[in-house]
Amino acid sequence: MSGLPIVLFDGTVYGMLLFLMSVGLSVTLGLMGVVNLAHGSFAAIGGFASVVLVHRLGMPFLLGVPLAALITAAIGGVLEAVLFRRLYRRGPLDQVLFTIGMVYVWIAVSTRIWGAGQQPADLPAFLQGQIALWPGAEVGAYRLFLLILGGVLAAGIFFGLERTRFGARVRAAQSDRDMAGGVGINVDRLFLLSFAIGAGLAGAGGALAIPVIGLDPSFPLKYLAFFLIVVSLGGPGTVTGSLVAALIVGIVDVAGKYYLPGAGGFLIYALVVAMLIWRPQGLVART
Amino acid sequence: MSDLHSSISWRRPVAEAAVLAALAALPLVSQDYLLLLTQVAVLALFTLSLELLVGQAGILSLGHAAFFGIGAYAAAFLALAGWEEPISGLLIAGGIAGLAGLAMAPLVLRASGLTQLMVTLCLGLMLHEAASRGRDWTGGDDGLSGFLNSPVLGLFEFDLFGVTGYLYALAVLGICFAAFTLMRAAPFGTALRGIRQNPVRMAALGTPVGARLAQAYALSAAMAGLAGALMAETTQSVALEALSFQRSAEVLIVLILGGVGSRYGALIGAAVYVLARDWLSALSPEYWLGWLGLLMMAVVLVAPRGIAGLLARVRLPRARAKTEDRA
């Protein structure tokens, strides 16, 4: 398979990964109003945790990745309780300084532990090689797996936010934090949980992304612009918006590399500027 | 309402001139730190341009390196093309950056908040990509070097020890700081701070809000361009890094570290940042960035309004006691 179909396929897979890694940032920005530039660190934590579990300890891939996501969620929860909670009432500039500082600290810590190089990606045999969707249409087995898993996780996030009591509480706190507290919702615990879930999703995304985009200590800084683009393009606080934006960014970026390799990232940045001028509130404005 | 009390008394300019004179006399005592202090001056000027934007006008930017880079490359192009006189080169480069700012202002000012941050970020990244691809013009990743400016004022040659570069940078920073101080106290500066606090009300009072913001954006861009050109002329080289996202983030960090909205914030932030970077990278070459990160986190927790804010808090009780004595 080549040409347009493969561009759409690879772009969608890339978009799914971007969605997983940035949806938590969108929720924290919409819910708690924190410009968390350190969010990419959670993706990196998940990635390194999975490398340790799968590559060093020899755990099966399908067990190691969810466990890495859980570890990331736990770390995210602790950090929310200890550090991020202090930032909620602060201005965006303080949040920027603090969270960029966290990224620097994380990069130094992870370089100290794992070295500055690229991390190895171990895939089980059944996820290697190509799979024929139909005769003549071969795609990478792992990318197909990512596409399906990403779809399932996205559906789970929608279900969780729209159909569960927890999701209703999150949405209530998003529209009016004080009022939500007034009707008996434990807002502090809600923030802790949603922050941990967002971190866990980013951790899963980071672990799953290693075979596609790699992992090294500077990962959180390298992809920071992409996470921010997804969130602002989609509109902070909207999961639908993040998904649509992530898919657009993924497909445009892959298409640009395929058809206009000389343009580099130029295309995607120009698109973002144009779209933000067209819809400053994001594709899906929160009501 | 600290704005009301910041009217310039005679004591401040005298103290500031004394500090400037002391810094200018430094090469007589020691020439060890001149290159480092030149870096401080360049970064302080760049940060001052961002203070004009963020602290005064309330416009957010995560792509201010665009104008720093435009100024740096413009100065390098001029010198390479044979226009080697440094002062006019500096002014032309600053003017070009200012025009670029004027051109970009409508795009940036349409948005606010996160969207504004993202528009500036992406415009900066676009320029970085363009410079990275335009290898024939910009030298791509290698950057530009091998140009030489003629002596400043026809008298002072750029020397190996960096004495001329240091004094030249100090002079440019001093002039720009004075201009910034005057602008801040002028009706233009007051209008900007009013717009930052309440744009609707300022419009109702008859202030042309859009025009003022566009002027502030162009002025800030021009000042950033001067800083970039100053770097190009004092180091005799320009790297692609001048346009990078890291530099945009760095200058924002320096500004917040020093203190947004304070006159000395940019200067204090730049000095602390460059010296801390130099000290930490000598102490721990591999992990200095992590220590810097810890410093940044500590500043947010301990000194919410930056180092300048912390100093003001230490000084304020004394000043307050004095006024009470008088009353």
Side-chain angles (χ1 to χ4, degrees), chain A residues 19-286:
Chain A
F19 170 70
L20 283 182
M21 288 190 277
S22 35
V23 66
L25 178 59
S26 176
V27 171
T28 21
L29 199 60
L31 189 60
M32 308 150 196
V34 175
V35 187
N36 179 13
L37 299 185
H39 187 74
S41 305
F42 292 123
I45 290 175
F48 281 110
S50 81
V51 169
V52 169
L53 293 173
V54 179
H55 187 76
R56 304 267 164 89
L57 303 178
M59 199 178 270
F61 183 80
L62 291 182
L63 186 66
V65 170
L67 203 56
L70 277 179
I71 293 171
T72 314
I75 294 175
V78 171
L79 286 179
E80 198 275 345
V82 178
L83 290 178
F84 282 96
R85 192 161 287 185
R86 299 164 193 271
L87 294 178
Y88 294 159
R89 304 270 181 205
R90 304 289 279 276
L93 291 176
D94 279 347
Q95 294 170 356
V96 165
L97 187 65
F98 191 85
T99 53
I100 284 272
M102 288 182 79
V103 173
Y104 285 172
V105 172
W106 163 250
I107 289 177
V109 168
S110 53
T111 310
R112 178 93 176 81
I113 303 177
W114 291 287
Q118 281 287 332
Q119 293 299 311
D122 287 320
L123 283 178
F126 70 96
L127 286 176
Q128 292 174 2
Q130 304 272 313
I131 285 183
L133 288 178
W134 58 84
E138 293 206 327
V139 295
Y142 184 63
R143 285 171 193 256
L144 188 64
F145 166 77
L146 283 183
L147 190 66
I148 296 166
L149 184 66
V152 170
L153 282 173
I157 295 166
F158 279 109
F159 180 82
L161 269 179
E162 299 295 327
R163 288 279 180 275
T164 64
R165 186 174 284 265
F166 176 74
R169 286 181 178 148
V170 170
R171 281 178 287 134
Q174 207 166 47
S175 355
D176 192 330
R177 178 193 167 152
D178 293 336
M179 195 64 194
V183 297
I185 295 174
N186 186 340
V187 180
D188 282 348
R189 208 183 60 190
L190 189 80
F191 280 10
L192 180 79
L193 273 178
S194 31
F195 195 91
I197 294 172
L201 286 169
L208 292 168
I210 300 175
V212 181
I213 56 177
L215 175 69
D216 64 279
S218 67
F219 182 92
L221 221 49
K222 220 188 291 180
Y223 286 93
L224 175 62
F226 275 86
F227 304 146
L228 287 173
I229 285 171
V230 167
V231 171
S232 61
L233 210 55
T238 73
V239 176
T240 327
S242 295
L243 181 61
V244 175
L247 291 178
I248 291 177
V249 170
I251 291 171
V252 170
D253 196 45
V254 171
K257 279 179 186 140
Y258 191 87
Y259 293 112
L260 290 168
F266 196 83
L267 201 63
I268 193 82
Y269 306 135
L271 176 90
V272 174
V273 170
M275 285 180 79
L276 284 178
I277 285 163
W278 173 50
R279 298 198 69 140
Q281 301 305 315
L283 291 171
V284 181
R286 197 153 57 85

Side-chain angles (χ1 to χ4, degrees), chain A residues 29 90 93-94 97-98 100-102 104-105 108 112 228-229 232 236 261-262 264-266 269-270 272-273 276-277 280, chain B residues 54 107 110 114-115 118-119 122 125-126 129-130 133 245 252-253 256 260 287 289-290 293-294 296-297 300-301 304:
Chain A
L29 199 60
R90 304 289 279 276
L93 291 176
D94 279 347
L97 187 65
F98 191 85
I100 284 272
M102 288 182 79
Y104 285 172
V105 172
R112 178 93 176 81
L228 287 173
I229 285 171
S232 61
F266 196 83
Y269 306 135
V272 174
V273 170
L276 284 178
I277 285 163
Chain B
V54 177
L107 298 178
R110 259 186 71 96
L114 177 70
T115 311
M118 294 311 296
V119 171
C122 288
L125 289 172
M126 276 168 78
E129 282 295 322
R133 307 284 153 176
F245 167 67
L252 191 61
I253 288 166
I256 308 172
V260 182
Y287 309 116
L289 207 59
L294 278 181
M296 288 155 60
M297 290 168 70
V300 174
L301 293 180

Side-chain angles (χ1 to χ4, degrees), chain B residues 283-306:
Chain B
L283 211 62
S284 136
E286 251 183 301
Y287 309 116
W288 66 272
L289 207 59
W291 296 110
L292 185 70
L294 278 181
L295 174 73
M296 288 155 60
M297 290 168 70
V299 163
V300 174
L301 293 180
V302 179
R305 284 184 298 119

Side-chain angles (χ1 to χ4, degrees), chain B residues 231-303:
Chain B
M231 185 200 68
E233 289 184 353
T234 52
T235 64
Q236 314 282 324
S237 65
V238 182
L240 187 60
E241 190 270 332
L243 282 165
S244 66
F245 167 67
Q246 279 76 6
R247 192 170 280 265
S248 295
E250 183 180 67
V251 69
L252 191 61
I253 288 166
V254 172
L255 178 61
I256 308 172
L257 195 66
V260 182
S262 143
R263 269 180 72 218
Y264 302 120
L267 309 181
I268 297 173
V272 169
Y273 183 87
V274 172
L275 297 179
R277 187 179 62 187
D278 187 62
W279 181 60
L280 290 172
S281 60
L283 211 62
S284 136
E286 251 183 301
Y287 309 116
W288 66 272
L289 207 59
W291 296 110
L292 185 70
L294 278 181
L295 174 73
M296 288 155 60
M297 290 168 70
V299 163
V300 174
L301 293 180
V302 179

